[in-house]
């Protein structure tokens, strides 16, 4: 910036009456910071550099008689530009890091959901397999029970067979004689609900008569 100001001052028109420094963030916000006579160019350079330390951009304007603008030059504070670029770079880097963190977070969440989904699906499959196994076992037990019941003769059938065998072997004259001679038959008969219900029904009918 200093060299640019010096070159501009070296080419000032001879009929320059005064020089003004305007500065601000943009053209609309520019204000006049200083006014010089063109008799001490070195002083103008030093003071201009000092005044521009806190400014972003400015203009040196040379005027002639009757306030006619002769020439101007735009100047910028290189230090502030570098600082702004540095701040912008830091902001961009921060945004990029934030984006990376968000991508990693989303990847972790996605992986977690996929793992949970796989676990739930596996549990559902295991539960269905267990239900199928229980159902098959229940059917097998029921079939085994039916076969066992079909193969076994009832207690009443056993008792009747005993009656027949005893009558044939002992030649008993009546069921009464057979029961008196073989009291264990009564135990067999009492173990069968059908016989017990039949006897109870007969007893109740006799009592009613």
């Amino acid at each position: 910036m200093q060299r640019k100001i010096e070159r501009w001052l070296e080419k000032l028109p001879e009929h320059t009456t005064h020089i003004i420094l305007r500065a601000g963030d943009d053209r609309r916000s520019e204000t006049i910071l200083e006014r010089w006579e063109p008799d001490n160019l070195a002083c103008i350079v030093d003071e201009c550099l000092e005044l521009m330390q806190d400014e972003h951009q400015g203009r040196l304007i040379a005027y002639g008689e009757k306030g006619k603008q002769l020439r101007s030059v735009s100047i910028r504070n290189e230090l502030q530009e570098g600082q702004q670029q540095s701040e912008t770079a830091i902001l961009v880097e921060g945004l990029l890091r934030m984006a990376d963190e968000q991508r990693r977070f989303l990847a972790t969440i996605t992986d977690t959901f996929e793992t949970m989904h796989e676990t739930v699906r596996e549990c559902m499959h295991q539960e269905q397999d267990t239900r199928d196994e229980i159902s098959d076992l229940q059917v097998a037990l029921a079939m085994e029970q039916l076969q066992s019941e079909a193969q076994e003769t009832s207690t009443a059938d056993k008792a009747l067979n005993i009656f027949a065998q005893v009558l044939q072997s002992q030649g008993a004259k009546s069921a009464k004689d057979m029961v008196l001679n073989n009291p264990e038959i009564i135990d067999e008969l009492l173990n069968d609900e059908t016989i017990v219900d039949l006897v109870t029904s007969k007893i109740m009918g006799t009592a009613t008569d």
Side-chain angles (χ1 to χ4, degrees):
M1 181 172 64
Q2 179 177 352
R3 183 55 185 159
K4 186 176 183 179
I5 295 173
E6 290 174 348
R7 288 198 301 268
W8 183 79
L9 291 174
E10 289 173 358
K11 298 178 180 180
L12 280 177
E14 294 182 358
H15 50 282
T16 300
T17 58
H18 61 278
I19 300 169
I20 290 177
L21 172 63
R22 300 176 65 93
D25 294 333
D26 50 42
R27 286 289 183 94
R28 290 177 300 179
S29 63
E30 284 183 356
T31 57
I32 298 176
L33 298 184
E34 190 57 83
R35 176 190 175 99
W36 298 281
E37 301 295 330
D39 54 353
N40 190 350
L41 298 183
C43 178
I44 294 176
V45 173
D46 293 338
E47 291 182 6
C48 184
L49 291 174
E50 183 178 355
L51 291 171
M52 286 298 297
Q53 287 181 357
D54 298 327
E55 301 295 336
H56 176 60
Q57 65 180 14
R59 286 188 301 154
L60 283 171
I61 305 172
Y63 291 92
E65 295 180 356
K66 299 181 180 180
K68 181 179 179 181
Q69 181 175 326
L70 301 178
R71 64 178 308 194
S72 65
V73 63
S74 296
I75 55 178
R76 291 181 178 275
N77 189 333
E78 297 175 356
L79 294 177
Q80 283 206 354
E81 284 186 354
Q83 182 179 1
Q84 288 183 350
Q85 291 177 356
S86 177
E87 292 176 352
T88 302
I90 293 173
L91 178 60
V92 171
E93 183 179 0
L95 292 175
L96 292 175
R97 288 182 179 179
M98 184 182 299
D100 290 339
E101 290 294 332
Q102 289 180 345
R103 283 195 293 269
R104 283 193 292 269
F105 176 75
L106 290 176
T108 301
I109 292 297
T110 301
D111 183 66
T112 301
F113 280 136
E114 289 178 354
T115 302
M116 292 176 60
H117 178 71
E118 185 65 26
T119 302
V120 171
R121 184 169 56 184
E122 183 177 354
C123 290
M124 292 177 65
H125 288 168
Q126 291 180 351
E127 182 181 2
Q128 185 63 41
D129 293 341
T130 302
R131 289 181 179 178
D132 293 341
E133 291 177 359
I134 293 175
S135 179
D136 293 341
L137 180 59
Q138 289 176 340
V139 171
L141 291 174
M143 293 297 296
E144 183 178 354
Q145 184 176 359
L146 289 174
Q147 292 177 358
S148 177
E149 290 178 353
Q151 292 175 357
E152 292 181 357
T153 56
S154 65
T155 305
D157 292 337
K158 290 181 180 180
L160 292 176
N161 288 335
I162 293 174
F163 267 111
Q165 292 174 5
V166 173
L167 287 172
Q168 290 176 1
S169 63
Q170 296 185 3
K173 296 179 180 180
S174 65
K176 178 180 179 180
D177 294 334
M178 184 189 66
V179 171
L180 291 175
N181 294 328
N182 301 278
E184 66 273 8
I185 293 176
I186 297 176
D187 296 332
E188 292 291 339
L189 293 174
L190 292 177
N191 288 330
D192 189 276
E193 293 183 0
T194 303
I195 299 298
V196 172
D197 292 340
L198 180 60
V199 173
T200 304
S201 178
K202 289 291 184 180
I203 294 174
M204 295 298 294
T206 303
T208 303
D209 295 339

